[in-house]
Structure formats: structure tokens, C-alpha cells
């Protein structure tokens, strides 16, 4: 046999072996998909839920981080005061969006809980292949790394996020307490489900939103409100670019 042909046959397995990792990477990329594009397309959302949820459940808590296809990252600043949420907006470059999506897609499907009332991290991962939701203990190392990576993009000067709509999550106060009159439509809005069962939701826009914002600024977070013959405690929840109403909470 010709010597050159022998050498070619001997080196072929090594070449094939070297090509295997490339094929593996391609399969992984196809599985996680690409970041969606557009200002209203969710790439990932990370919510931090305490063991004991407040009135209104998870619906009353703005997500800690929400990343969108145009690179906008909307977050609740660390140490944000209670009451009316003040969110901030930052910009993540395209390479950063892809890296964050890859980290979120690599999260485990599930992990053992720290306890029945332990705080958790809930991550919604969105890509061109669809969405999935993962709930992990707050202490999970992978979730902590993702949270730290997201926080790193919010370290610069704060740019306020101005929502065009805010959902008012209202829960009957028990026992009733002294209350201020609610200035707008009755708080007996759309009933909520899940962890928010027993609460209602009312979406405010435009002049109604501005009026409630002014009232809430002088009332304080613990203020009770009277509406439709009942006393309520309320939590304003800004709607994010991919959310249109109460059903999205």
C-alpha cells in the first residue's frame, strides 16, 4: 500500500475525534436557542420570592431582573424602599444577552428545597425555542451566579424605568383598620389566582396612574384604603414591556 495512503488512514480517527466537541457545542446551542429580538421579547426574568409571601402573593412582587431582546434590563435596585416600586433600566450588549441566556438555560431543572418556607429564586427563560420556568432554592450556586451577573449590568448611574401601566394588587384587610378613601375605580377588580388567590387586580394608565402615584407618595406603604364598602391593602406592581394586564402577573 502506498505510504501516503497509510498515513492518511492512520490519522483519520484522530481528526474525527477532534471534531466531536464541535458537534457537541452545536447541539447544545440548538437546544437552548437564540435570544429573541425586540423590545417586548423576554429573554429571561429572575424573581426572588421570600418564604412568607406578602398579601397579594407573588403577583405583588416586581421581578428582581427582566432582560429583553433589545438588551434592556429592568430591575429593582438593591435596598429599594418599600411602597411604590422605583425600577431602573440598563443596557446589556448583544454578547452579554447571549451569555446571560446561556447561563439561564444551563440552570438545573430542579433542586432540593432548603425547607417548606425557605426563599426561592424563580427564573423564566425565553428563547427562540420557547419559554421554560425553573424554581431553585435561594442558596443554589448557579442561581446566585446568574443573579450576580445580572446585577453587574446595573452598577452604573441609575436610569429610572417609567412604566406606562401599573397593576394595583388589592387584598382585603383583616381585621379592618382606619383607611383613606381610594380615589379611583373600585378595588374590586379582576380576581387573581395561585399565590394571589383572594386578591384582586386593577390596571391603571394615564391620568388615573398619575393620580394614584401622587396619592401613594403621601400615604406611605402601610396605608389602608377604603373602597366598595371594604378596607384594602394595596401593592402597586409596574407592568413590564412583555406584560399587558393582570393575567400576566
Amino acid at each position: 500500500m502506498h505510504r501516503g495512503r497509510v498515513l492518511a488512514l492512520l490519522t483519520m480517527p484522530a481528526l474525527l475525534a477532534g471534531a466531536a466537541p464541535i458537534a457537541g457545542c452545536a447541539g447544545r446551542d440548538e437546544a437552548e436557542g437564540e435570544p429573541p429580538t425586540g423590545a417586548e421579547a423576554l429573554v429571561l426574568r429572575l424573581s426572588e420570592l421570600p418564604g412568607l409571601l406578602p398579601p397579594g402573593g407573588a403577583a405583588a412582587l416586581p421581578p428582581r431582573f427582566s432582560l429583553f431582546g433589545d438588551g434592556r434590563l429592568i430591575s429593582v435596585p438593591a435596598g429599594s424602599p418599600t411602597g411604590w416600586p422605583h425600577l431602573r433600566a440598563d443596557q446589556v450588549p448583544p454578547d452579554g444577552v447571549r451569555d446571560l441566556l446561556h447561563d439561564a438555560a444551563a440552570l438545573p431543572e430542579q433542586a432540593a428545597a432548603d425547607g417548606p418556607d425557605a426563599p426561592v429564586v424563580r427564573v423564566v427563560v425565553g428563547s427562540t425555542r420557547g419559554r421554560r420556568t425553573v424554581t431553585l432554592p435561594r442558596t443554589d450556586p448557579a442561581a446566585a451566579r446568574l443573579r450576580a451577573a445580572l446585577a453587574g449590568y446595573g452598577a452604573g448611574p441609575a436610569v429610572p424605568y417609567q412604566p406606562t401601566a401599573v397593576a394595583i394588587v388589592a387584598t382585603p384587610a383583616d381585621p379592618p383598620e382606619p383607611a383613606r378613601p381610594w380615589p379611583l375605580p373600585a378595588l374590586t377588580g379582576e380576581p387573581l389566582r395561585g399565590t394571589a388567590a383572594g386578591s384582586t387586580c386593577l390596571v391603571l394608565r394615564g391620568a388615573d396612574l398619575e393620580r394614584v402615584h401622587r396619592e401613594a407618595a403621601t400615604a406611605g406603604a402601610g396605608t389602608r384604603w377604603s373602597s366598595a364598602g371594604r378596607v384594602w391593602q394595596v401593592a402597586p406592581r409596574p407592568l413590564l414591556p412583555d406584560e399587558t394586564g393582570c393575567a400576566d402577573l
Side-chain angles (χ1 to χ4, degrees):
M1 182 179 293
H2 194 275
R3 182 179 180 182
R5 186 176 179 185
V6 171
L7 290 175
L9 291 174
L10 291 173
T11 57
M12 185 62 70
L15 292 173
L16 291 174
I22 298 175
C25 289
R28 182 196 66 199
D29 292 341
E30 290 176 2
E32 72 185 33
E34 290 293 319
T37 58
E40 299 178 357
L42 183 69
V43 177
L44 72 90
R45 173 166 288 143
L46 187 150
S47 300
E48 297 175 332
L49 304 181
L52 182 61
L53 290 171
L61 298 174
R64 182 74 171 83
F65 298 99
S66 296
L67 177 64
F68 295 90
D70 61 352
R72 185 165 49 161
L73 177 66
I74 300 172
S75 63
V76 179
S80 181
T82 58
W84 195 272
H86 296 281
L87 309 186
R88 63 176 288 159
D90 296 278
Q91 195 65 31
V92 179
D95 286 347
V97 173
R98 285 190 290 270
D99 290 344
L100 290 167
L101 173 62
H102 170 70
D103 292 345
L107 291 174
E109 289 294 336
Q110 59 182 359
D114 293 332
D117 295 322
V120 298
V121 174
R122 185 173 64 195
V123 180
V124 180
V125 187
S127 74
T128 51
R129 298 184 64 86
R131 284 190 183 189
R132 74 180 181 104
T133 301
V134 177
T135 301
L136 300 169
R138 181 75 181 273
T139 56
D140 182 83
R145 287 192 296 270
L146 178 61
R147 185 170 56 244
L150 288 162
Y153 288 103
V159 178
Y161 169 68
Q162 302 292 346
T164 59
V166 170
I168 301 297
V169 178
T171 306
D174 186 22
E177 301 177 16
R180 292 176 59 167
W182 180 251
L184 289 173
L187 289 170
T188 52
E190 181 178 335
L192 294 173
R193 299 180 179 179
T195 61
S199 300
T200 64
C201 172
L202 174 69
V203 175
L204 301 179
R205 295 179 171 86
D208 286 348
L209 174 56
E210 293 177 5
R211 183 176 178 184
V212 168
H213 194 177
R214 288 194 302 269
E215 291 272 352
T218 62
T223 300
R224 300 295 187 261
W225 302 88
S226 61
S227 175
R230 303 189 70 175
V231 174
W232 309 77
Q233 47 191 327
V234 304
R237 163 62 161 86
L239 294 185
L240 298 169
D242 64 317
E243 299 171 332
T244 58
C246 299
D248 296 316
L249 300 184

